[in-house]
Amino acid sequence: MKNSQNTPLRAAVIGTGYLGRFHAQKYATLPDVELAFVVDSDGARAQAMGQELGVPFVQDFMEIRDQIQVASVVTPTSGHHDIALPLLEAGVHLLVEKPITTTEDQARALIKAASDQKVVLQVGHLERFNPAVQVLHREVKQPLFVEAHRLSKFNGRATDVDVVLDLMIHDLDILLSLVDGPVTEVRATGVPIMTPNVDMANARLTFAGGCTANLTASRMSFKDMRKFRVFHPGGYVAADCALKENLVFRKPESPGVLPVPEKLEHGPVDNLMEEIKAFLAAVRGEAPVPVTGEDGLRALELAGLINAAIAEQLP
Protein backbone atom coordinates (compact mmCIF):
# COMPACT_ATOMS: atom_id res chain seq x y z
CA MET A 1 0.00 0.00 0.00
CA LYS A 2 1.51 3.31 -1.11
CA ASN A 3 1.14 6.72 0.46
CA SER A 4 1.97 10.27 -0.54
CA GLN A 5 4.71 12.19 1.22
CA ASN A 6 2.15 14.40 2.96
CA THR A 7 -0.22 11.78 4.32
CA PRO A 8 0.35 9.92 7.60
CA LEU A 9 1.87 6.46 7.32
CA ARG A 10 -0.56 3.72 8.28
CA ALA A 11 1.16 1.56 10.88
CA ALA A 12 0.56 -1.68 12.76
CA VAL A 13 2.22 -3.21 15.78
CA ILE A 14 2.33 -6.99 15.66
CA GLY A 15 2.76 -8.48 19.11
CA THR A 16 1.37 -6.53 22.05
CA GLY A 17 3.25 -8.12 24.92
CA TYR A 18 5.64 -6.28 27.24
CA LEU A 19 7.68 -4.50 24.56
CA GLY A 20 5.03 -4.41 21.84
CA ARG A 21 2.78 -2.37 24.10
CA PHE A 22 5.45 0.34 24.24
CA HIS A 23 5.82 0.32 20.45
CA ALA A 24 2.07 0.82 20.07
CA GLN A 25 2.01 3.66 22.56
CA LYS A 26 4.84 5.48 20.74
CA TYR A 27 3.21 5.18 17.32
CA ALA A 28 -0.07 6.42 18.77
CA THR A 29 1.55 9.71 19.85
CA LEU A 30 3.29 10.57 16.57
CA PRO A 31 1.52 13.20 14.47
CA ASP A 32 2.74 11.87 11.11
CA VAL A 33 1.62 8.27 11.72
CA GLU A 34 -1.77 6.65 11.99
CA LEU A 35 -1.69 3.60 14.24
CA ALA A 36 -4.19 1.67 12.14
CA PHE A 37 -4.09 -1.73 13.88
CA VAL A 38 -2.68 -3.64 16.81
CA VAL A 39 -2.25 -7.36 16.26
CA ASP A 40 -1.79 -10.26 18.63
CA SER A 41 -2.58 -13.96 18.31
CA ASP A 42 -3.94 -13.69 21.85
CA GLY A 43 -7.33 -12.15 21.17
CA ALA A 44 -7.86 -10.85 24.68
CA ARG A 45 -4.49 -9.11 24.69
CA ALA A 46 -5.10 -7.61 21.25
CA GLN A 47 -8.47 -6.34 22.38
CA ALA A 48 -7.07 -4.80 25.55
CA MET A 49 -4.37 -2.96 23.61
CA GLY A 50 -6.82 -1.81 20.97
CA GLN A 51 -9.25 -0.49 23.55
CA GLU A 52 -6.48 1.28 25.47
CA LEU A 53 -5.39 3.20 22.37
CA GLY A 54 -8.74 3.39 20.59
CA VAL A 55 -7.58 1.53 17.47
CA PRO A 56 -8.83 -1.59 15.65
CA PHE A 57 -7.37 -4.92 16.77
CA VAL A 58 -7.03 -8.24 14.97
CA GLN A 59 -5.48 -11.63 15.71
CA ASP A 60 -4.16 -12.43 12.20
CA PHE A 61 -1.68 -10.01 10.63
CA MET A 62 -2.44 -11.41 7.17
CA GLU A 63 -5.85 -9.75 7.34
CA ILE A 64 -4.34 -6.28 7.35
CA ARG A 65 -1.09 -6.53 5.40
CA ASP A 66 -2.59 -4.72 2.37
CA GLN A 67 -3.92 -1.91 4.57
CA ILE A 68 -0.65 -0.67 6.11
CA GLN A 69 2.67 0.83 4.97
CA VAL A 70 4.81 0.22 8.08
CA ALA A 71 4.84 -2.18 11.00
CA SER A 72 6.79 -3.17 14.08
CA VAL A 73 7.19 -6.92 14.59
CA VAL A 74 7.47 -7.40 18.35
CA THR A 75 6.70 -11.09 18.77
CA PRO A 76 8.92 -13.82 20.22
CA THR A 77 11.99 -14.29 18.02
CA SER A 78 10.83 -17.72 16.90
CA GLY A 79 7.98 -16.04 15.00
CA HIS A 80 9.89 -13.22 13.32
CA HIS A 81 10.57 -14.95 10.01
CA ASP A 82 7.08 -16.31 9.42
CA ILE A 83 5.51 -12.93 10.18
CA ALA A 84 8.05 -10.61 8.57
CA LEU A 85 8.52 -12.44 5.27
CA PRO A 86 4.93 -12.15 3.94
CA LEU A 87 4.76 -8.55 5.13
CA LEU A 88 7.95 -7.63 3.29
CA GLU A 89 6.71 -9.46 0.19
CA ALA A 90 3.56 -7.34 0.40
CA GLY A 91 5.68 -4.17 0.35
CA VAL A 92 5.41 -3.28 4.05
CA HIS A 93 8.37 -1.49 5.65
CA LEU A 94 9.37 -3.29 8.85
CA LEU A 95 11.02 -2.61 12.17
CA VAL A 96 11.79 -6.12 13.48
CA GLU A 97 12.82 -6.47 17.11
CA LYS A 98 16.20 -8.02 17.85
CA PRO A 99 17.42 -10.59 17.19
CA ILE A 100 16.35 -10.40 13.57
CA THR A 101 15.47 -14.12 13.42
CA THR A 102 16.48 -17.38 15.04
CA THR A 103 18.59 -18.62 12.09
CA GLU A 104 20.93 -17.00 9.61
CA ASP A 105 19.08 -18.46 6.61
CA GLN A 106 15.86 -16.87 7.88
CA ALA A 107 17.63 -13.52 8.21
CA ARG A 108 19.00 -13.75 4.67
CA ALA A 109 15.50 -14.48 3.39
CA LEU A 110 14.18 -11.30 5.03
CA ILE A 111 17.06 -9.23 3.67
CA LYS A 112 16.43 -10.55 0.15
CA ALA A 113 12.69 -9.89 0.36
CA ALA A 114 13.28 -6.32 1.54
CA SER A 115 15.76 -5.75 -1.30
CA ASP A 116 13.44 -7.26 -3.90
CA GLN A 117 10.52 -5.09 -2.79
CA LYS A 118 12.70 -2.01 -2.16
CA VAL A 119 11.35 -1.58 1.37
CA VAL A 120 13.05 -0.74 4.65
CA LEU A 121 14.05 -3.56 6.96
CA GLN A 122 15.36 -2.17 10.26
CA VAL A 123 16.40 -4.33 13.19
CA GLY A 124 15.51 -3.19 16.70
CA HIS A 125 18.95 -2.97 18.29
CA LEU A 126 17.74 -0.32 20.69
CA GLU A 127 21.09 0.56 22.26
CA ARG A 128 22.22 2.21 19.02
CA PHE A 129 19.91 5.08 20.03
CA ASN A 130 21.28 5.34 23.56
CA PRO A 131 23.25 8.61 23.87
CA ALA A 132 25.86 6.84 26.01
CA VAL A 133 26.53 4.42 23.13
CA GLN A 134 26.61 7.25 20.62
CA VAL A 135 29.44 8.81 22.63
CA LEU A 136 31.44 5.61 22.05
CA HIS A 137 31.11 6.14 18.31
CA ARG A 138 32.26 9.75 18.60
CA GLU A 139 35.23 9.09 20.87
CA VAL A 140 36.56 5.70 19.75
CA LYS A 141 38.21 5.20 16.38
CA GLN A 142 40.39 2.14 17.00
CA PRO A 143 39.21 -0.13 19.82
CA LEU A 144 41.96 -2.16 21.45
CA PHE A 145 40.10 -3.86 24.30
CA VAL A 146 36.39 -4.00 25.04
CA GLU A 147 34.66 -5.23 28.16
CA ALA A 148 30.87 -5.47 28.48
CA HIS A 149 28.54 -6.66 31.22
CA ARG A 150 24.81 -7.03 30.60
CA LEU A 151 23.11 -8.52 33.63
CA SER A 152 19.44 -8.69 34.54
CA LYS A 153 17.19 -10.30 37.09
CA PHE A 154 15.24 -13.30 35.85
CA ASN A 155 11.86 -12.08 34.57
CA GLY A 156 10.61 -15.02 32.52
CA ARG A 157 10.58 -13.08 29.22
CA ALA A 158 12.38 -14.13 26.02
CA THR A 159 13.02 -17.63 27.33
CA ASP A 160 12.42 -19.02 23.83
CA VAL A 161 16.04 -18.05 23.14
CA ASP A 162 19.29 -18.29 25.12
CA VAL A 163 20.94 -15.39 26.92
CA VAL A 164 23.29 -14.75 24.00
CA LEU A 165 20.35 -14.01 21.69
CA ASP A 166 18.35 -12.38 24.46
CA LEU A 167 20.88 -10.03 26.11
CA MET A 168 24.43 -10.38 24.79
CA ILE A 169 23.32 -9.64 21.25
CA HIS A 170 22.87 -5.98 22.26
CA ASP A 171 26.58 -5.77 23.02
CA LEU A 172 27.52 -7.83 19.97
CA ASP A 173 25.78 -5.24 17.81
CA ILE A 174 27.53 -2.35 19.59
CA LEU A 175 30.86 -4.15 19.29
CA LEU A 176 30.46 -4.86 15.57
CA SER A 177 29.48 -1.24 14.94
CA LEU A 178 32.77 -0.13 16.55
CA VAL A 179 35.28 -2.72 15.34
CA ASP A 180 36.31 -2.84 11.69
CA GLY A 181 37.53 -6.33 10.87
CA PRO A 182 36.54 -9.99 11.01
CA VAL A 183 36.53 -12.15 14.13
CA THR A 184 39.50 -14.53 14.19
CA GLU A 185 38.90 -16.42 17.44
CA VAL A 186 35.89 -17.16 19.64
CA ARG A 187 36.10 -18.65 23.13
CA ALA A 188 32.95 -18.97 25.19
CA THR A 189 31.36 -20.70 28.13
CA GLY A 190 27.80 -20.75 29.40
CA VAL A 191 25.31 -22.65 31.51
CA PRO A 192 21.54 -23.14 31.67
CA ILE A 193 20.05 -22.51 35.12
CA MET A 194 16.36 -21.57 35.08
CA THR A 195 15.50 -22.51 31.49
CA PRO A 196 16.50 -25.26 29.04
CA ASN A 197 18.63 -22.64 27.27
CA VAL A 198 21.89 -21.03 28.41
CA ASP A 199 21.09 -18.34 31.01
CA MET A 200 24.64 -17.13 31.75
CA ALA A 201 27.40 -16.73 29.18
CA ASN A 202 30.87 -15.28 28.73
CA ALA A 203 32.62 -14.79 25.41
CA ARG A 204 36.16 -13.72 24.57
CA LEU A 205 36.54 -12.54 21.00
CA THR A 206 39.61 -11.63 18.98
CA PHE A 207 39.43 -9.51 15.82
CA ALA A 208 41.84 -9.36 12.89
CA GLY A 209 42.74 -5.75 13.64
CA GLY A 210 44.03 -6.69 17.09
CA CYS A 211 41.00 -5.81 19.22
CA THR A 212 40.00 -8.21 21.98
CA ALA A 213 36.56 -8.19 23.60
CA ASN A 214 35.32 -9.85 26.77
CA LEU A 215 31.52 -9.98 27.05
CA THR A 216 29.39 -11.32 29.90
CA ALA A 217 25.62 -11.73 29.90
CA SER A 218 23.33 -13.13 32.56
CA ARG A 219 19.61 -13.17 33.20
CA MET A 220 20.19 -14.65 36.64
CA SER A 221 21.70 -11.63 38.36
CA PHE A 222 20.56 -10.06 41.63
CA LYS A 223 21.00 -6.62 40.07
CA ASP A 224 20.72 -5.07 36.63
CA MET A 225 23.81 -3.83 34.82
CA ARG A 226 24.42 -2.60 31.28
CA LYS A 227 27.98 -1.36 31.03
CA PHE A 228 30.25 -1.18 28.00
CA ARG A 229 33.92 -0.12 28.27
CA VAL A 230 36.38 0.56 25.46
CA PHE A 231 40.14 1.15 25.64
CA HIS A 232 41.68 2.80 22.58
CA PRO A 233 44.93 4.62 21.72
CA GLY A 234 43.45 7.96 22.79
CA GLY A 235 42.23 6.79 26.20
CA TYR A 236 39.27 4.96 27.71
CA VAL A 237 35.51 5.44 27.44
CA ALA A 238 32.89 3.82 29.66
CA ALA A 239 29.20 3.78 28.83
CA ASP A 240 26.52 3.02 31.39
CA CYS A 241 23.62 2.17 29.12
CA ALA A 242 21.14 1.95 31.98
CA LEU A 243 21.94 5.35 33.51
CA LYS A 244 22.75 6.94 30.12
CA GLU A 245 26.09 8.20 31.39
CA ASN A 246 29.70 8.15 30.21
CA LEU A 247 33.10 8.47 31.78
CA VAL A 248 35.66 9.67 29.24
CA PHE A 249 39.40 9.45 29.94
CA ARG A 250 41.51 11.16 27.28
CA LYS A 251 45.24 10.47 27.09
CA PRO A 252 47.19 13.56 28.27
CA GLU A 253 49.50 15.17 25.76
CA SER A 254 52.30 15.37 28.35
CA PRO A 255 53.72 12.15 29.84
CA GLY A 256 53.30 11.69 33.56
CA VAL A 257 50.15 13.81 33.77
CA LEU A 258 47.21 11.97 35.29
CA PRO A 259 44.10 11.97 33.08
CA VAL A 260 41.07 13.76 34.47
CA PRO A 261 37.87 11.88 33.67
CA GLU A 262 34.98 13.75 32.10
CA LYS A 263 31.54 12.63 33.22
CA LEU A 264 28.72 13.01 30.73
CA GLU A 265 25.14 12.75 31.96
CA HIS A 266 22.61 12.64 29.14
CA GLY A 267 19.41 12.82 31.15
CA PRO A 268 16.15 11.18 30.12
CA VAL A 269 16.16 10.01 26.51
CA ASP A 270 13.44 7.81 25.04
CA ASN A 271 15.56 5.31 23.08
CA LEU A 272 12.52 3.53 21.67
CA MET A 273 10.91 6.70 20.40
CA GLU A 274 14.20 7.71 18.76
CA GLU A 275 14.43 4.28 17.15
CA ILE A 276 10.89 4.49 15.74
CA LYS A 277 11.45 8.05 14.49
CA ALA A 278 14.65 6.92 12.74
CA PHE A 279 12.76 4.02 11.15
CA LEU A 280 10.05 6.33 9.84
CA ALA A 281 12.65 8.79 8.53
CA ALA A 282 14.28 5.94 6.61
CA VAL A 283 10.90 4.89 5.22
CA ARG A 284 10.34 8.43 3.95
CA GLY A 285 13.81 8.54 2.41
CA GLU A 286 14.95 11.30 4.74
CA ALA A 287 17.83 9.31 6.28
CA PRO A 288 19.63 5.99 5.83
CA VAL A 289 18.46 2.91 7.71
CA PRO A 290 20.39 3.13 11.02
CA VAL A 291 20.42 -0.61 11.78
CA THR A 292 20.06 -2.65 8.61
CA GLY A 293 19.07 -6.24 8.09
CA GLU A 294 22.71 -6.91 7.28
CA ASP A 295 23.68 -5.46 10.68
CA GLY A 296 21.17 -7.78 12.32
CA LEU A 297 22.58 -10.74 10.40
CA ARG A 298 26.17 -9.94 11.45
CA ALA A 299 25.17 -9.89 15.12
CA LEU A 300 23.24 -13.14 14.66
CA GLU A 301 26.20 -14.81 12.94
CA LEU A 302 28.52 -13.85 15.78
CA ALA A 303 25.97 -15.05 18.34
CA GLY A 304 25.91 -18.36 16.47
CA LEU A 305 29.69 -18.70 16.74
CA ILE A 306 29.50 -17.98 20.47
CA ASN A 307 26.71 -20.50 21.02
CA ALA A 308 28.65 -23.11 19.05
CA ALA A 309 31.67 -22.54 21.31
CA ILE A 310 29.45 -22.81 24.39
CA ALA A 311 27.93 -26.06 23.12
CA GLU A 312 31.41 -27.58 22.91
CA GLN A 313 31.92 -26.86 26.62
CA LEU A 314 28.59 -28.17 27.88
CA PRO A 315 28.45 -31.75 29.20
Side-chain angles (χ1 to χ4, degrees):
M1 183 177 180
K2 304 298 183 181
N3 77 297
S4 73
Q5 196 74 9
N6 298 322
T7 58
L9 292 164
R10 285 175 59 83
V13 173
I14 302 167
T16 59
Y18 174 78
L19 186 55
R21 184 168 180 267
F22 295 131
H23 275 253
Q25 290 170 341
K26 305 302 179 190
Y27 280 110
T29 66
L30 290 170
D32 52 355
V33 175
E34 176 192 353
L35 180 59
F37 300 97
V38 291
V39 185
D40 201 295
S41 58
D42 183 326
R45 191 159 62 186
Q47 181 178 8
M49 189 80 258
Q51 290 177 342
E52 176 186 331
L53 298 176
V55 300
F57 56 91
V58 297
Q59 289 182 253
D60 185 356
F61 70 92
M62 293 293 284
E63 295 178 13
I64 53 96
R65 67 174 182 164
D66 295 326
Q67 302 178 54
I68 56 174
Q69 288 95 35
V70 299
S72 282
V73 177
V74 202
T75 63
T77 306
S78 53
H80 284 184
H81 171 268
D82 291 348
I83 293 170
L85 186 60
L87 288 171
L88 292 169
E89 290 174 341
V92 179
H93 303 277
L94 291 187
L95 171 56
V96 179
E97 263 305 327
K98 64 82 197 167
I100 181 171
T101 50
T102 53
T103 73
E104 295 164 24
D105 285 344
Q106 289 177 344
R108 294 187 186 98
L110 298 191
I111 292 167
K112 182 179 185 303
S115 176
D116 290 346
Q117 296 299 320
K118 296 181 173 55
V119 294
V120 168
L121 172 60
Q122 181 172 320
V123 184
H125 285 287
L126 192 63
E127 293 288 29
R128 292 279 198 106
F129 302 89
N130 190 320
V133 172
Q134 292 170 350
V135 167
L136 296 177
H137 287 93
R138 290 200 301 269
E139 292 284 337
V140 177
K141 304 306 176 189
Q142 184 188 347
L144 300 175
F145 181 75
V146 173
E147 186 170 37
H149 288 84
R150 190 166 293 263
L151 316 176
S152 72
K153 304 179 184 72
F154 185 75
N155 57 29
R157 294 195 301 269
T159 55
D160 62 318
V161 295
D162 55 75
V163 74
V164 176
L165 289 175
D166 179 18
L167 296 182
M168 187 182 286
I169 199 159
H170 284 291
D171 294 320
L172 296 179
D173 176 67
I174 298 171
L175 178 66
L176 291 171
S177 71
L178 290 169
V179 180
D180 184 17
V183 176
T184 58
E185 184 179 23
V186 177
R187 297 183 182 182
T189 59
V191 291
I193 299 174
M194 290 289 289
T195 77
N197 299 311
V198 169
D199 294 314
M200 297 178 64
N202 174 264
R204 189 170 182 87
L205 312 173
T206 303
F207 290 83
C211 179
T212 299
N214 186 60
L215 284 70
T216 300
S218 171
R219 51 190 180 193
M220 298 302 306
S221 177
F222 290 109
K223 64 177 182 178
D224 294 338
M225 179 186 294
R226 295 187 300 169
K227 292 187 177 181
F228 199 100
R229 308 171 182 88
V230 185
F231 295 83
H232 63 108
Y236 159 59
V237 186
D240 189 319
C241 297
L243 297 179
K244 296 182 174 67
E245 295 179 354
N246 293 93
L247 279 178
V248 180
F249 296 80
R250 296 184 181 90
K251 185 177 179 179
E253 295 183 4
S254 302
V257 177
L258 293 176
V260 178
E262 178 185 3
K263 186 173 184 178
L264 305 176
E265 297 177 333
H266 305 287
V269 176
D270 190 335
N271 298 351
L272 180 56
M273 180 61 89
E274 294 306 310
E275 177 182 68
I276 291 172
K277 286 181 177 179
F279 166 58
L280 298 172
V283 169
R284 293 191 175 93
E286 299 167 355
V289 182
V291 187
T292 64
E294 289 81 2
D295 291 334
L297 174 59
R298 289 178 67 211
L300 185 64
E301 289 172 335
L302 185 49
L305 294 174
I306 292 168
N307 274 328
I310 291 173
E312 292 179 0
Q313 304 295 321
L314 290 173

